Amino acid sequence: MLFLGIDGGGTKTDFVLCDEMGKILATQRLDSASHWQYDSDRLAGILDKGFHGVLQKSGKEASDVISAAFGMSGYGEDGEKDRASTRICEGFFKDIPVKICNDSEIGLIGSLGFEPGINVINGTGAMAAGRDNSGRVDRAGGWGHEIGDEGSGYWLGMKLLEMFAKQSDGRIERTSLYGYVKEQLNIHRDFDIIALFHNEYCHDRSKTASLQKILCDLAGQGDPWALALYDRSAADLVMLAQALRDRMDFSDPVKVSYSGGVFEAGACILGPFKEKLIDLGFAYAEPRFTPIEGTIILAAKQVGMHGALMEKLGHFGKRRPQ
């Protein structure tokens, strides 16, 4: 008996095949299949390539898969697109039961299982998902970079460029940030950054978010502006948790965990994030599993096997890379 999990974020789609003993048999990473970015033909193609890719790697057959789960970026935000994606997924998997949800929900399951609590997701975008005492799932944030996503990887990348421009002008004091940005982006004149941004970053959210890695280096070197930006990011992320606590049915203290690539920056973001949570009366919780493991747990839930699978996944000890 095998479970198929699909984590379909805004920049990538991960497939994972797992057996009932919690052993990961195969994984595959492809481009995003989010229906906000691409048409239905692309979704069908990604499903076909990813599913058959993990089957081929594992030497298994489609008939061995008893359930699937798909956490999709943007799902639940447009009824017409949701219905189209659901038809495609159900048509593709046919006799295999498939659960489709927003990718924030699989992050929540990965971090906290099915216990009440909140998971804050910080990757290219930023949002939080919570499950309360009644089992109701809700979310805050995830409005997209044009409207929100404060504190996200994209937001941090743009703030890095803003700080560079201000330091170049002399509007704020120059720190190591100024020279390090020029070095890392290989620009000679300060104004070269304008053409670079428009040519390489302007229309690519994930690439803009990757600038956060420069900021992470600077924070590790103790640059005050870099540290201040991560502190501001943490404050915006904690605000998402506050919003969910205020409107959902929780018992105090509310558990809050995390997922997403920005948290891999380590202490510069996790330190202020944890501190602000505790100051506001939350209970900080390290994630139990990764989001992609959340998909296979959700798949197992469709056939009532999630409890046993979670125990077996936990038996492997170290968390797998996200």
Side-chain angles (χ1 to χ4, degrees):
M1 293 184 290
L2 303 180
F3 306 109
L4 175 72
I6 310 170
D7 180 0
T11 57
K12 59 180 174 56
T13 304
D14 285 326
F15 291 76
V16 61
L17 196 62
C18 176
D19 67 16
E20 74 273 18
M21 299 305 294
K23 182 180 179 181
I24 304 299
L25 303 179
T27 61
Q28 176 100 348
R29 173 166 290 183
L30 300 173
D31 293 337
S32 173
S34 170
H35 61 204
W36 270 112
Q37 301 183 59
Y38 306 109
D39 60 22
S40 56
D41 289 340
R42 183 179 179 91
L43 172 57
I46 292 285
L47 290 174
D48 184 68
K49 187 174 181 179
F51 184 40
H52 290 102
V54 292
L55 289 176
Q56 184 178 27
K57 287 181 179 180
S58 64
K60 301 296 183 179
E61 301 292 333
S63 57
D64 296 323
V65 180
I66 63 170
S67 64
F70 187 175
M72 179 190 290
S73 174
Y75 193 83
E77 297 170 3
D78 184 301
E80 184 176 346
K81 290 180 182 294
D82 291 347
R83 288 188 289 274
S85 293
T86 299
R87 284 195 301 271
I88 291 165
C89 290
E90 291 179 347
F92 178 81
F93 288 109
K94 296 178 182 176
D95 296 330
I96 301 173
V98 56
K99 171 69 174 177
I100 311 168
C101 63
N102 188 274
D103 61 338
S104 65
E105 189 170 343
I106 62 166
L108 175 64
I109 294 169
S111 285
L112 296 172
F114 293 93
E115 294 181 13
I118 296 167
N119 186 58
V120 175
I121 306 107
N122 196 6
T124 301
M127 64 189 300
R131 184 188 310 277
D132 67 13
N133 294 337
S134 67
R136 182 171 71 94
V137 174
D138 202 354
R139 56 176 269 194
W143 293 96
H145 68 287
E146 299 97 338
I147 301 174
D149 278 350
E150 298 89 350
S152 68
Y154 177 87
W155 181 90
L156 287 165
M158 291 300 296
K159 287 296 180 183
L160 172 70
L161 299 179
E162 177 188 327
M163 292 300 105
F164 173 80
K166 287 180 175 178
Q167 291 194 15
S168 175
D169 285 344
R171 284 178 282 163
I172 59 176
E173 179 185 1
R174 286 188 181 180
T175 63
S176 56
L177 181 150
Y178 172 75
Y180 193 67
V181 168
K182 291 184 71 171
E183 175 189 325
Q184 292 300 303
L185 298 183
N186 194 28
I187 57 175
H188 301 288
R189 298 184 314 127
D190 292 3
F191 283 120
D192 289 344
I193 204 168
I194 298 174
L196 177 68
F197 177 74
H198 281 283
N199 292 335
E200 296 189 24
Y201 294 89
C202 185
H203 302 293
D204 190 332
R205 289 190 312 126
S206 61
K207 190 167 184 180
T208 301
S210 72
L211 293 171
Q212 181 264 150
K213 295 175 183 177
I214 297 176
L215 199 67
C216 180
D217 290 344
L218 287 162
Q221 298 165 18
D223 183 272
W225 288 108
L227 292 169
L229 285 174
Y230 279 113
D231 189 77
R232 286 177 59 188
S233 171
D236 280 317
L237 299 175
V238 170
M239 195 182 298
L240 297 172
Q242 285 179 281
L244 290 177
R245 180 172 65 177
D246 290 346
R247 70 173 190 246
M248 298 180 74
D249 177 24
F250 287 113
S251 300
D252 288 329
V254 182
K255 281 186 179 180
V256 178
S257 191
Y258 64 88
S259 60
V262 173
F263 284 111
E264 294 176 10
C268 60
I269 182 66
L270 284 172
F273 178 68
K274 181 177 181 179
E275 181 181 341
K276 293 176 193 300
L277 285 173
I278 293 172
D279 286 347
L280 290 169
F282 288 101
Y284 173 83
E286 288 289 336
R288 294 180 63 185
F289 306 104
T290 63
I292 190 63
E293 288 173 326
T295 64
I296 54 179
I297 293 168
L298 182 57
K301 189 175 190 296
Q302 304 310 109
V303 290
M305 297 176 64
H306 57 291
L309 183 65
M310 288 169 68
E311 288 183 13
K312 291 179 173 67
L313 283 170
H315 177 71
F316 283 97
K318 292 182 180 179
R319 298 179 65 236
R320 298 176 178 90
Q322 296 189 37

